[in-house]
Amino acid sequence: RTGHRLWVDTGGREGTRASLPGANLRGADLAEADLTEADLPNADLAAANCRGTIFRKAVLTEATFAGANVRSGNLAVARLRGADFTGACLDGSCLRGADLATARFGDCSMRGTDFSGADLRGADLRGADMRNVVGITSDQISQANHDPGTLLPGYLNPAAK
């Protein structure tokens, strides 16, 4: 064990925290990787396989996940302000407490995704399939941008912004 994995396993006492601002990870296979608290602002993860990847508390501001498979990913308390999830699959992912302000979710599938306590201020939800998300509130939706193409849970039916 070396590098970031050791850093995670030892609570930061050994190893080195992954810090890859602007990293080109387009199409990379990161399935099941543990990137807890990694510093990846502006990273390009478009079309990457991030199935089951742990990005808990990671810094991913302005990162691109367009077309990525993030199914069952853990992005709890991650900093994802301005991230692009256009066309991504977030089914079953955990976004509890994540900063998703101004993030883009157009044509994104989010079945079973947990949005409990996430910040969605200014997030673009136009065209997103959110019918089966968990933990989302009308207050969160009212702070985001959505349209008639946004598929919301049955218990939320606000007028399009």
Side-chain angles (χ1 to χ4, degrees), residues 7 9 16 29 42 48 113 126-127 137 146 154:
W7 185 83
D9 289 348
T16 307
D29 185 359
N42 301 299
T113 301
R126 293 175 291 186
T137 67
H146 49 88

Side-chain angles (χ1 to χ4, degrees), residues 10-127:
T10 64
R13 290 184 304 279
E14 297 177 42
T16 307
R17 177 182 180 201
S19 181
L20 301 164
N24 181 358
L25 300 169
R26 179 178 288 265
D29 185 359
L30 300 172
E32 307 294 327
D34 189 344
L35 295 170
T36 297
E37 296 188 51
D39 186 29
L40 299 164
N42 301 299
D44 184 355
L45 293 142
N49 179 12
C50 299
R51 185 181 184 114
T53 301
I54 301 170
F55 290 108
R56 192 176 58 79
K57 295 185 179 180
V59 177
L60 291 152
T61 51
E62 301 290 332
T64 300
F65 287 89
N69 177 6
V70 194
R71 183 182 302 266
S72 301
N74 183 344
L75 297 100
V77 200
R79 291 175 39 200
L80 293 153
R81 183 176 294 261
D84 182 3
F85 291 98
T86 304
C89 176
L90 288 168
D91 294 350
S93 291
C94 178
L95 294 166
R96 283 178 163 267
D99 178 358
L100 298 164
T102 69
R104 296 176 300 287
F105 293 95
D107 299 316
C108 183
S109 180
M110 297 181 263
R111 291 178 189 92
T113 301
D114 187 350
F115 281 92
S116 299
D119 181 356
L120 291 170
R121 285 177 292 167
D124 186 354
L125 303 176
R126 293 175 291 186

